[in-house]
Amino acid sequence: MAPPIPAPKTPSPSQPSGKSEVTDLKLQLRQLAGSRAPGADDSKRDLFKRVISYMTVGIDVSSAFSEMVMCSATSDIVLKKMCYLYVGNYARCNPDLALLTINFLQKDCRDEDPMIRGLALRSLCSLRVPNLVEYLVAPLGAGLKDGSPYVRMVAALGVLKLYHISAAMCLDSDFPATLKSLMLSDPDAQVVANCLHSLQEIWNLEASKSEEASREIEALYSKPVVFFLLNKIKDFSEWAQCLVLDVVSKYIPGDNNEIFDIMNFLEDRLQHANGAVVLATIKVFLHLTMSMTDVHQQVYERIKAPLLTLVGAGSPEQSYAVLCHLHLLVMRAPMLFSSDYKHFYCQFSEPSFVKKLKLEMLTAIANESNTYEIVTELCEYARNIDIPIARESIRAVGKIALQQYDVNAIVDRLLQFLEMEKDYVTAETLVLVKDLLRKYPQWSHDCIAVVGNISSKNVQEPKAKAALIWMLGEYSQDMLDAPYILESLIENWDDEHAPEVRLHLLTAAMKCFFKRPPETQKALGAALAAGLADTHQAWDVHDRALFYYRLVQYDVTVAEHVVNPPKQAVSVFADTQSSEIKDRIFDEFNTLSVVYQKPSYMFTDKEHRGPFEFSEDLASLSVGAQSAENVISAQRYQENDNDLLLSTSEKEENGSSAHYGSVPSAYSAPQALTEAALIDHGSSAFTSQSAFAIDDLLGLGVPDAPAPAPAPPTLNLNTKSALDPGTFQRKWGQLGITLSQELSLSPQGVVGLTTPQSLIRHMQGHSIQCIASGGQSPNYKFFFFAQKEGSSVFFLVECIINTSSAKVHLKIKAEDGSAAEPFSALFQSALLKFGLP
Amino acid sequence: MLQCIFLLSDSGEVMLEKQMTAHRVDRSICAWFWDYVLSQGGDSSKILQVIASPTHYIFQVYREGITFLACTQVEMPPLMAIEFLSRVADVLTDYLGSLNEDLIKDNFVIVYEILDEMMDNGFPLTTEPNILREMIAPPDIVSKMLNVVTGKSSNVSNKLPEATASCVPWRKTGLKNASNEVYVNLVEELDALVNREGMLVKCEVYGEIQVNSHLPGLPDLTLSFANPTILNDVRFHPCVRFRPWESHQVLSFVPPDGQFKLMSYRVKNLKNIPVYLKPQLSSDSGNCRIDVLVGIRNDPGKTIDSVTVKFQLPLCIASADLTSNYGTVNILADKTCSWSIGRIPKDKSPSLTGNLVLDGMDRLHVFPTFQVKFKITGVAFSGLQIDKLDVKNTPSSPYKGFRAITQAGQYEVRS
């Protein structure tokens, strides 16, 4: 968790002395203000420099504002720049004084030197004083028409700045339209890029308010504009290229030829020296080929080399960011990288976060052909000085073993770890051996022989101790001295502080008792007694002891049936990250999400999800303040990451539901029982889910719609309808609007609609497919389609949802007008069910 | 988009602050960042490059004791921010000659000017050093002298760079160079990994072709290689034309003026390494005997210079007594041993021997990794050879110089 926001800085102790200095400076500036004497500029420069340096150190020199402005009449460009800098810094807190600067800035905007015109215009737009916007419009308008590309470039971004101060003023002056024509006609590439940048932002923000802006956005991502930009791409600066590539990645090509044209055209961008360009290009490639499986694979092959070079050759900073993206790709298609495993070998000098990523990738790409080499490599890390990495690599070895490749060799290696007699190595290995045995019970013989030799005194970490105790209980019939080891552990009950270990001790004592009653009876009694007395820490221990006690009292055979039923080997362990989340991150390729390995909705603040929307009150912002749900899920990943198998206590703390409930047979019975509540919860979620699945199969609408929803219609939809974007577009163009409706979304639906994907999946459950979606909170736009069962009649829907007002605007186009009414009813009932349990 | 850029000194002091958007980022973010650095061990170069603070996402790039910090609150391509910050660092190094705290503090006005041209409203603009130089003159002594002589006190040319409008954005137009010369440097870094069994696990070369061009007019250069097929993956400076490379593997380009990186490449799966290192550690009853042997494996034909070997002693070692028959051995406070050999002699193999006393255990279970550094001048180890360099479009034929150098990058031997 991120540390708390530091308290606002107290005034620095140097300030008092700074104050007298500032008064002194003011005095000197005032003397120089009107001076035209030779050398006056030089002394001004020195004074300005001092003022700026105070500003830089953090001393407040805003009191010299009027003096600075008085001195600003100069032809010296450096003086001007310093003055602009100063004014830009303090204008916002001195709006009245800022008015003083308008005059000279406006004058400079008409200077004969284009550099000064540009600089002045930039400063003018950067003042950001709301009541001065009226003075901005004229210079901006002139700037956009200026003869110098430098000034036009500044003006193009100036429009965006104006928009942020006063959107109305910007729109009323019709600047976006001017920008648009400039974008399509200006000979200077940087001007074009700046226009694009401003337009994209303005229209994206406007799209929520006006129909026209969303049309403009569509026009921006349309074929003529995209191809216009693509044709110019080599003229753009590397950064502008990134911007253009981003636009291209949002474009939906009409047909496959277009896709190949774009890719051929951009191929050489993969060899650009700037990694940002390379990644942006890769994003375009991946997005374009999403629906063409084999081409998508070829794209992977093509982008592999540039990515690997970027990782190896760039600065460490770049290499980490690229590695995160590579990690994402490797996790999606490990097979394609299986021959490149050597690239993911860790170097000693790398920082540990890099090593960690590499270890994960090595684990993922292990297959029949490379497992031996990878495991050999990982085993070397286990002997390395870097202890956290040594631990990680042992875990990695275990994970590879659980992936079923060459288990034989790996088990040997793991057992060798146990012989190393390093406490952390032993600890990690024990946890893994336990997991291995749960999956491959056939190895128990070899493992038990080695595990039996480990003295429980050398195992300190609770997790490892719990694993050892579990094995003692589970294989007590094979381990001669299991009862005695357990006994001595129970004798030291009070030294064992972790509830996890105590719980395992209770269960192991029970299991051992069923197999070897005479030897264990005493120990079990002691354990139950100690457990019953255990009330100060966690009631779990007490409760379980009591439960076992009563169970044994009731009937030993029943107790055995409950505590130690015959188990099936675990075939698949819970995945650390759901594939849905991986897909989400993949959609956000080339963004911060990839670095954090979480889709942005899990870590960005709601108000920051837009392209550039801030809330005014910065102090109230907090990245850390995720919604409770997100926190839990984040913890869950963390948890899963730490250990493939969670112990009961942790699970209960987290209260995670169906996820675990779905594999209760994997746990021994008592754990399953104590979890009863959880499973209940989980299964209820399950039934509702399965109900959905059945609906889906039958192709029915909604059998029991909630009260506000219209009655279930009698129209069946094809569950597997398919339509390609081109056809959709054509049909959409051909058909007229059959129905247009406005309705309100249920409050739950609004809450559930954090991302377009959630609704898309929901609608899929009702045989309504989404072909395109977009927008940012609070405005989403979807294009859906559905097909009438047993016919070729398609329904096309444009659905605009505003989550802040919970209003939905529907436009339905049907190929069969008579079916439009029932379809609309069906669509609405499906939509209204969204978000309901 | 980046909202703000801070330059922090080695002690976490804010040396410079440049706000990019209407939403000011409070300086307290730097205090937060510095606390974070301290909590991670205090080494700025070893921490994550992208950090989520409670209020912002922070990107940081660390160069020569200076942390370049950028903040944003919105989603953006992380590599764009990182590349940009690296570029800022490069441009400042170029301007100021080198990079350190005092230089930044002495020239903060220039740094402000540069940042102003490099980024507007959080979006990168001009980052090409050649063009920046035309807009903001570097603070060199010559220009100061000129100012004194001509009485012109401005350090900027009043003319706007024409290149912003030219079709070759990396090159200013109408260059009149007194010197008519071009230098091509092959710089290779050799990464190698030798595992515990002494097997060469991985051996790769990352190479760069650095060009220093001082040619008049708009020269057109063509560089070809004798063996371009050995290159695995290549990346080019924007000036390189793609088609000639596609069809004939030749580099055809109009160079920027001055020093630039023409191309970078990777050559993988090399089978040889020039320097071998054989460590032997045997431990028994609380003592560990260490023997390390260094020598030339496949003589590259040129002298191997500046050889150093570094390794970290395991924590469990109480004391170490190391001697070498060649070069000097130092044990630093953090238990890092550094053995500087210099040039490997022809007649004997340098060796390091010694005894390590273990702390409370019989045998050593944790083994160090040896990091080897060296330099070979005159050889590109990958074997890449330049065939010829044609210069067209210059009034007279220029002087052409070629050099090659190979350095050890991450060259590691495990024990």
Side-chain angles (χ1 to χ4, degrees), chain A residues 3-6 42 45 49 52-53 55-58 76-78 81-82 85 89 92 113-115 119 122 128 148 150 153 157 160-161 188 190 194 197 238-239 242-243 268 271-276 279 305-306 308-310 312-313 315-318 320-322 325 342-343 345-350 353 377 380-381 383-385 420 422 424 588 590-593 595-596 600 603-604 608 611-612 614-616 618 621-624, chain B residues 1 3 14-18 20-24 27-28 32 46-57 59-63 72-80 82-84 86-87 106 108-109 112-113 116-117 120-121 123-125 127-128 135-136 153-156 158 160 164-165 191-193 195-197 201-202 204 206 233-238 242 245 266 268 312-314 361 365-369 371 410 412 414:
Chain A
I5 310 163
D42 280 346
R45 258 192 188 207
K49 237 176 158 166
I52 304 285
S53 80
M55 194 178 94
T56 302
V57 184
D76 184 321
I77 198 159
V78 177
K81 280 188 182 175
M82 284 198 269
L85 181 71
N89 208 18
R92 254 164 80 96
D113 181 353
M115 184 118 185
L119 284 171
R122 185 183 295 160
R128 297 180 170 113
S148 159
Y150 184 80
M153 169 181 112
L157 280 183
L160 180 60
K161 290 175 192 166
D188 187 273
Q190 192 63 52
N194 285 8
H197 176 64
E238 46 206 302
W239 313 107
C242 295
L243 190 69
D268 56 343
Q271 281 164 339
H272 199 280
N274 187 325
L279 269 193
L308 290 172
T309 310
L310 273 175
S315 67
E317 296 90 5
Q318 290 153 2
Y320 172 68
V322 179
H325 286 85
K342 283 186 181 173
H343 281 283
Y345 282 4
C346 300
Q347 302 274 1
F348 176 72
S349 43
E350 285 164 343
F353 47 81
E377 177 75 10
E380 298 214 337
Y381 303 153
R383 292 167 197 276
N384 211 304
I385 300 183
M420 271 173 65
K422 275 298 250 188
Y424 58 87
E588 295 175 23
N590 199 21
T591 62
L592 286 166
S593 315
V595 179
Y596 290 119
S600 59
F603 71 96
T604 15
H608 300 132
F612 209 64
F614 299 104
S615 82
E616 261 309 311
L618 277 180
L621 294 181
S622 160
V623 180
Chain B
M1 298 299 97
Q3 284 170 267
V14 182
M15 294 193 290
L16 210 110
E17 166 185 344
K18 173 88 185 144
M20 297 294 175
T21 65
H23 291 263
R24 298 183 64 85
R27 277 187 180 209
S28 58
W32 182 90
K46 278 261 163 18
I47 62 164
L48 274 171
Q49 277 82 36
V50 186
I51 309 159
S53 83
T55 52
H56 295 80
Y57 310 107
F59 302 95
Q60 62 103 12
V61 163
Y62 180 80
R63 294 286 149 83
T72 184
Q73 283 173 312
V74 293
E75 183 64 272
M76 68 177 289
L79 208 61
M80 190 156 158
I82 287 169
E83 283 268 6
F84 178 74
S86 314
R87 205 61 65 86
D106 291 349
F108 66 90
V109 176
Y112 275 127
E113 287 181 55
D116 206 35
E117 293 299 340
D120 193 3
N121 204 38
F123 188 74
L125 286 182
T127 50
E128 197 57 53
M135 293 199 257
I136 305 148
S153 54
S154 162
N155 73 340
V156 72
N158 278 336
L160 257 185
T164 43
D191 285 2
L193 191 58
N195 72 4
R196 298 193 60 192
E197 276 109 55
V201 174
K202 181 174 130 182
E204 274 193 330
Y206 288 99
D233 185 49
V234 284
R235 292 205 292 151
F236 303 118
H237 188 273
F242 186 59
W245 175 262
R266 183 158 60 95
K268 64 177 183 186
Q312 179 90 38
L313 290 174
M361 58 181 69
H365 291 292
V366 177
F367 301 97
T369 301
Q371 295 167 281
Q410 293 180 322
E412 298 185 355
R414 299 198 192 117

Side-chain angles (χ1 to χ4, degrees), chain B residues 382-402:
Chain B
S382 66
L384 184 70
Q385 275 175 343
I386 292 175
D387 188 31
K388 60 175 186 225
L389 174 68
D390 285 333
V391 183
K392 277 185 227 148
N393 224 359
T394 47
S396 55
S397 74
Y399 175 77
K400 299 178 229 172
F402 300 93

